[in-house]
Amino acid sequence: MANVTVIGAQWGDEGKGKIVDWLASRADAVVRFQGGHNAGHTLVIDGEVYKLSLLPSGIVSGTMSMIGNGVVLDPWALRDEVEKLEKQGVEITADNLAVADNCPLILPVHRDLDGLRETAAGKGKIGTTGRGIGPAYEDKVGRRAIRVCDLAHLDELESQLDRLCAHHDALRAGFDQPQVDRAALLAELKEIAPFVLRFAQPVWKRLKKVRKAGARVLFEGAQGVLLDVDHGTYPFVTSSNTVSGTAASGSGLGPGSTGFVLGIVKAYTTRVGSGPFPTELEDEIGQTLGEKGHEFGVVTGRKRRVGWFDAVIVRQSCSISGVTGIALTKIDVLDGFETVKICTGYRLNGNVVDYLPSHAGDQAKVEPIYEEMEGWSESTAGARSWADLPANAIKYIQRVQELIETPVALVSTSPEREDTILVRDPFLD
């Protein structure tokens, strides 16, 4: 049986939560391998809505869930999310949730810095969620992070606090802010430590045991390839690598274990925050797509920007991340349009290009080249087989896979778990 790695192949918000939940019911373990609680995954199971930001989507189905070392962990957000799910009847214990003991922590100073920077940047702001994700990753790379394992050794934290505060105090002074209150920070860490340490363990070791037993592992990514710090629309990106290769480094299981790479792709395109968006629609069609698709961020509530499907960026994402097959989501949002469009290339400085350039200025200047297709009036919502789909919807799906040079493995036709057309089983590939 193959393992499966799930990533977003656009700018995030592709519907990963529903697909991961669907796959998690057939997996033995689910692992989050990067990002923080800026990810927003919505699950709808038997009419009940679950909104996750940090916890792996498998937690709702009872699948063993792990937060890998590649994640930056806000311990207070973790507690809030666990308590919220418990109120919805989801049992969460050390038996079904493990947190890597080498995860870096997101601290109040990181949230402070994130907000101060975005406010000061004005029109040049990146459009972060303001949750401290980026500053936490900076401290990880700068070797001044406080990690989950440190919560068991808070009496030995002085030298780490010296490094952390020396950096943040200088930055805070530049924003005319007081120095870090070390005593208050330490008190907050002492208060939250017992909760987090309940789940802390070497996740890499737990995964090794799971794999030796022949179990199936589902690796869950956050955001999307176009937000990757290396391969995305830099600087309007997240602070981690979102590509499939990160599943290995962010979990500790190794590159030979990532298995089938499933790219989640929305049947149109959306983006939250600042940055280039070649197919963005700011007209009535864009408004209609946004309303039908309920395009508001799960975490922030921010309205998403909406546009036609961009085959150029998805083809690029699939190539960069080694996608084996895609899961096409929200096809039902396109129901009722007389015609639909797909971007097949760009014009840049009078030339036709078949990729999104790396330079931000070039990205902002590209003009989409569209192919128009006949739409469909019949409903695709709730379809569970090809026979349930209108002929023109099938033609659209077939054209998408041709243009992105990657086969369709799944088609999602509603937020409900079972409203899924299985074309190719990732676990059996």
Side-chain angles (χ1 to χ4, degrees), residues 84-155:
K84 181 180 71 174
L85 285 181
E86 287 178 335
K87 288 178 182 177
Q88 291 185 273
V90 179
E91 185 178 5
I92 301 174
T93 69
D95 291 328
N96 65 352
L97 177 64
V99 176
D101 56 2
N102 52 344
C103 265
L105 298 179
I106 299 173
L107 305 172
V109 294
H110 297 131
R111 295 194 295 270
D112 291 347
L113 183 58
D114 211 350
L116 290 167
R117 283 174 169 169
E118 283 289 270
T119 300
K123 291 182 179 180
K125 66 182 180 180
I126 301 297
T128 75
T129 58
R131 299 194 166 207
I133 312 295
Y137 272 116
E138 289 175 36
D139 280 353
K140 172 185 177 178
V141 175
R143 293 165 293 180
R144 52 185 171 264
I146 295 172
R147 304 190 298 171
V148 168
C149 55
D150 294 319
L151 295 175
H153 302 273
L154 291 176
D155 293 336

Side-chain angles (χ1 to χ4, degrees), residues 171-191:
L171 292 172
R172 292 168 71 91
F175 290 108
D176 198 26
Q177 297 294 308
Q179 293 186 341
V180 176
D181 187 334
R182 291 175 60 144
L185 175 57
L186 198 54
E188 288 183 276
L189 290 172
K190 286 181 177 178
E191 186 273 332

Side-chain angles (χ1 to χ4, degrees), residues 317-360:
S317 292
C318 288
S319 177
I320 288 167
S321 219
V323 172
T324 315
I326 69 163
L328 191 68
T329 67
K330 290 198 166 186
I331 188 72
D332 53 302
V333 176
L334 296 180
D335 293 352
F337 283 94
E338 188 174 334
T339 59
V340 290
K341 293 182 180 181
I342 298 176
C343 173
T344 60
Y346 303 134
R347 288 189 181 88
L348 175 63
N349 299 326
N351 299 312
V352 174
V353 295
D354 61 357
Y355 68 99
L356 187 65
S358 296
H359 192 271

Side-chain angles (χ1 to χ4, degrees), residues 2 45 57 60 134 170 178-179 217 242 263 296 312 336 338 371 393 410 417:
I45 304 171
S57 298
V60 177
Q179 293 186 341
V217 179
T242 60
F296 293 89
V312 179
E338 188 174 334
E371 177 179 303
L410 302 166
R417 178 195 286 175

Side-chain angles (χ1 to χ4, degrees), residues 298-318:
V298 174
V299 171
T300 63
R302 289 184 294 181
K303 185 178 179 180
R304 296 178 186 136
R305 300 156 63 191
V306 181
W308 290 120
F309 185 82
D310 189 335
V312 179
I313 59 173
V314 175
R315 182 172 61 242
Q316 188 164 323
S317 292
C318 288

Side-chain angles (χ1 to χ4, degrees), residues 118-235:
E118 283 289 270
T119 300
K123 291 182 179 180
K125 66 182 180 180
I126 301 297
T128 75
T129 58
R131 299 194 166 207
I133 312 295
Y137 272 116
E138 289 175 36
D139 280 353
K140 172 185 177 178
V141 175
R143 293 165 293 180
R144 52 185 171 264
I146 295 172
R147 304 190 298 171
V148 168
C149 55
D150 294 319
L151 295 175
H153 302 273
L154 291 176
D155 293 336
E156 305 166 27
L157 209 59
E158 283 302 312
S159 61
Q160 284 166 272
L161 284 174
D162 286 342
R163 290 195 297 273
L164 181 79
C165 292
H167 177 76
H168 282 271
D169 285 345
L171 292 172
R172 292 168 71 91
F175 290 108
D176 198 26
Q177 297 294 308
Q179 293 186 341
V180 176
D181 187 334
R182 291 175 60 144
L185 175 57
L186 198 54
E188 288 183 276
L189 290 172
K190 286 181 177 178
E191 186 273 332
I192 197 67
F195 175 82
V196 178
L197 291 173
R198 286 165 46 192
F199 307 105
Q201 60 180 275
V203 159
W204 67 268
K205 192 173 182 181
R206 183 72 175 268
L207 280 170
K208 180 181 178 182
K209 183 178 180 181
V210 166
R211 286 300 295 150
K212 274 194 169 182
R216 294 180 291 193
V217 179
L218 179 61
F219 298 92
E220 179 182 4
Q223 291 90 41
V225 173
L226 291 165
L227 293 174
D228 185 279
V229 70
D230 287 317
H231 300 289
T233 48
Y234 193 91

